[in-house]
Amino acid sequence: MKYKLVMDIEINSVEDLKKLRTIVEANNLDKPNFSEIARNLGIDRRTAKKYYLGDDKKERKKKKSVIDKYYTIIEELLSENSTQVFYYKDHLFRYLQREHGLNCTRNNFNYYILNHEEFAKYFRPKGNSNAIKSEKPFGEQAQFDWKEKINFTFKNGEKIIINVGSLILSASRFKVWTIYPSVSLDCVLDFLANSFEIIGGVPKEILIDNATTMMLKARTESNEGIVNPKFQQFADDYGFKVVPCIAGRPNTKSKVENPMRVIDEIIAYNGTLNNLEELHEKLEQITNEANSRICQGTGVPPILVYKKEKEHLSPLPQEKICSFYKISTIKATVNLNALFHYKKKMYSVPSEFIGKKVTIQVIENNLHAYYNKKLIAVHEIVENKKIIYNEHHHLDMLKQTFKKHEDIEDYAKKHLKELEKFNEQLSEFM
């Protein structure tokens, strides 16, 4: 077999160097003069050799991300040992913004999570339900629902079950979210009465589900259902129409159902908060952020559209009617020991409210203390104690009293034990 060997080759570009190497190796020739080739092509000798050897792919250095410094924090938050729960990447993103000063776009954060398999597998895709998109005029409708039975754990290990009432104006998507211990009708009426005050008026209709607290008989495709007479009276007094959704059609309340996942953000604080007051404050922050973010449905933050929708709401009824539907409240003055009186017992509030009048609301077996409609303390109603001090209120009070005292926390624990003994002694006479 005879082969016609090509002994000459023109080198016009660096790409031709790969062909040159093939010929040189096939014919067992000496390596070319890279310096001469480099001069002819006007390139560096090392560049010529690199292309000859086929090592022309640029090694790109992995670009560092501003999120890299949060890697350990994210790893801890998403670990199996963490008590905190993040149902969506958005929840984790906003938590890191609030609590750790993360400064990046949401798209970059999502990209970072998805490109780290150890983080991406934590989140599961959510199925999308089909629904016909419909809109209501300003002031026409609000949608009400509960986010029920949320398990929450405080920093000290105490576990509670909370429910979050949700009222959303259909046109502006403005949201009101509040924590309640139960979903009883009394809590429903209290939540709606207070929510109407917050939004400054009453929508023409309220879309509800078929919960037995509001509906004696569920609405179906074949019948209109029966509204609980007490809830219907509330609706008549406030001047709105009750519109139950058809049973089995959750998409009817999509404007209130879809944002429910934002309420789940509260679970991100599992094991990090001290008490119910802090939990209320954190939900208030989450609510304000949700009302300030651009809504995907309207393209505008709800707070901006709400200012226009508020003009179309019906006026509130007389104060006497409003107060009738709210959970019973009393007024109390905080004494110099940061305590207020309720049924011959004394309960604590933060020391900054000494001398001020607070509003006490009795919800089931708990006292909720408010100042200017802001929750400042929650106490369980007790029968066998005379003085009930919240541990944080007690420590705060002692710090105010003994400003230069060393080991004030140890002294506070000792003092609380003395109060417990005092309560035990008094209980014999109660």
Side-chain angles (χ1 to χ4, degrees):
M1 297 177 70
K2 295 183 179 180
Y3 296 92
K4 184 177 180 181
L5 301 180
V6 178
M7 303 301 293
D8 297 322
I9 181 172
E10 291 185 8
I11 306 299
N12 297 316
S13 70
V14 291
E15 298 297 329
D16 293 331
L17 293 175
K18 294 179 183 178
K19 303 174 186 177
L20 175 63
R21 181 185 177 188
T22 303
I23 294 172
V24 169
E25 291 181 348
N27 293 280
N28 198 24
L29 301 175
D30 294 333
K31 289 184 180 180
N33 187 331
F34 293 114
S35 297
E36 184 179 355
I37 292 174
R39 283 193 297 272
N40 292 335
L41 293 178
I43 59 175
D44 187 88
R45 180 184 181 280
R46 289 168 295 185
T47 304
K49 186 176 181 180
K50 183 173 67 173
Y51 274 88
Y52 174 81
L53 296 173
D55 188 21
D56 56 330
K57 293 182 179 179
K58 293 183 179 179
E59 292 184 4
R60 296 183 179 272
K61 291 183 179 180
K62 189 177 179 180
K63 188 178 179 181
K64 288 187 176 181
S65 168
V66 295
I67 312 173
D68 284 337
K69 63 181 180 180
Y70 297 94
Y71 182 93
T72 304
I73 297 174
I74 297 172
E75 187 178 42
E76 291 175 356
L77 290 172
L78 302 185
S79 72
E80 293 181 357
N81 298 327
S82 175
T83 57
Q84 296 172 257
V85 180
F86 299 86
Y87 290 109
Y88 304 92
K89 294 188 289 294
D90 284 358
H91 293 182
L92 178 60
F93 172 66
R94 289 194 285 269
Y95 177 84
L96 291 171
Q97 279 188 319
R98 289 189 213 105
E99 309 303 326
H100 296 281
L102 174 67
N103 185 16
C104 71
T105 65
R106 189 171 63 180
N107 286 340
N108 285 345
F109 181 78
N110 288 346
Y111 180 80
Y112 184 85
I113 294 296
L114 293 174
N115 277 275
H116 288 75
E117 179 59 27
E118 64 273 31
F119 299 153
K121 65 183 181 182
Y122 179 91
F123 300 97
R124 294 291 181 267
K126 302 295 186 293
N128 294 323
S129 300
N130 296 323
I132 299 174
K133 185 176 177 62
S134 61
E135 297 295 346
K136 293 286 185 179
F138 285 162
E140 181 71 21
Q141 184 192 84
Q143 299 185 6
F144 165 73
D145 202 359
W146 285 109
K147 182 74 174 180
E148 297 184 54
K149 298 180 181 178
I150 302 173
N151 293 297
F152 193 86
T153 305
F154 290 115
K155 190 182 289 186
N156 62 2
E158 179 189 354
K159 298 179 183 296
I160 63 169
I161 297 176
I162 61 172
N163 307 276
V164 179
S166 175
L167 185 76
I168 299 181
L169 290 172
S170 296
S172 64
R173 286 16 176 222
F174 186 83
K175 305 160 186 69
V176 180
W177 292 329
T178 309
I179 294 171
Y180 279 85
S182 79
V183 294
S184 65
L185 183 57
D186 286 342
C187 288
V188 171
L189 301 183
D190 182 80
F191 170 70
L192 290 175
N194 284 295
S195 296
F196 293 150
E197 284 191 11
I198 291 172
I199 64 177
V202 183
K204 293 180 177 59
E205 65 181 38
I206 303 293
L207 190 63
I208 64 170
D209 60 14
N210 287 279
T212 54
T213 51
M214 297 176 286
M215 297 292 294
L216 297 182
K217 185 177 180 181
R219 179 191 172 192
T220 64
E221 294 194 21
S222 58
N223 69 74
E224 293 297 316
I226 301 174
V227 181
N228 183 314
K230 188 174 180 180
F231 186 72
Q232 185 60 61
Q233 185 61 55
F234 172 79
D236 294 340
D237 288 341
Y238 272 83
F240 67 84
K241 179 184 177 182
V242 179
V243 182
C245 65
I246 297 175
R249 290 190 186 177
N251 285 330
T252 310
K253 297 195 283 78
S254 59
K255 292 183 180 68
V256 74
E257 292 281 358
N258 292 337
M260 282 298 189
R261 72 177 195 173
V262 181
I263 298 176
D264 285 331
E265 271 187 62
I266 204 69
I267 305 301
Y269 292 90
N270 225 18
T272 68
L273 304 180
N274 291 307
N275 48 49
L276 194 56
E277 298 96 285
E278 290 186 7
L279 187 60
H280 275 269
E281 288 176 2
K282 198 56 66 175
L283 181 61
E284 182 180 355
Q285 183 181 1
I286 291 172
T287 305
N288 291 336
E289 288 178 3
N291 283 327
S292 300
R293 283 195 300 272
I294 292 177
C295 172
Q296 292 183 354
T298 63
V300 184
I303 187 66
L304 296 181
V305 188
Y306 156 72
K307 292 179 179 179
K308 183 66 178 177
E309 184 166 18
K310 183 179 178 181
E311 300 173 4
H312 297 265
L313 298 174
S314 302
L316 293 165
Q318 296 178 356
E319 176 59 31
K320 187 176 181 180
I321 294 176
C322 295
S323 60
F324 176 79
Y325 288 105
K326 294 179 184 178
I327 292 173
S328 61
T329 59
I330 59 172
K331 294 286 185 180
T333 301
V334 181
N335 65 21
L336 294 176
N337 295 313
L339 298 165
F340 65 85
H341 288 263
Y342 176 77
K343 290 188 176 180
K344 298 181 180 181
K345 308 289 192 307
M346 290 185 286
Y347 298 84
S348 68
V349 295
S351 61
E352 61 190 278
F353 299 101
I354 289 176
K356 294 183 169 65
K357 283 193 173 184
V358 295
T359 301
I360 311 302
Q361 198 174 64
V362 184
I363 303 178
E364 295 186 343
N365 196 44
N366 291 286
L367 293 179
H368 293 239
Y370 294 86
Y371 183 74
N372 287 341
K373 295 187 178 182
K374 179 180 176 62
L375 182 70
I376 59 173
V378 178
H379 289 282
E380 184 180 355
I381 298 174
V382 295
E383 298 297 332
N384 59 345
K385 292 183 180 180
K386 178 68 176 177
I387 302 172
I388 300 89
Y389 255 119
N390 174 288
E391 183 179 342
H392 298 284
H393 301 163
H394 180 256
L395 178 60
D396 178 50
M397 187 63 192
L398 288 180
K399 284 181 177 179
Q400 297 292 327
T401 307
F402 305 103
K403 294 181 179 179
K404 297 183 179 180
H405 195 289
E406 296 182 0
D407 302 324
I408 189 67
E409 292 188 9
D410 292 336
Y411 178 73
K413 291 177 182 177
K414 181 180 177 181
H415 191 257
L416 268 180
K417 288 182 180 179
E418 292 175 355
L419 277 177
E420 287 296 324
K421 289 182 180 179
F422 176 70
N423 280 322
E424 288 175 5
Q425 292 171 350
L426 283 182
S427 64
E428 299 176 8
F429 304 94
M430 296 171 69

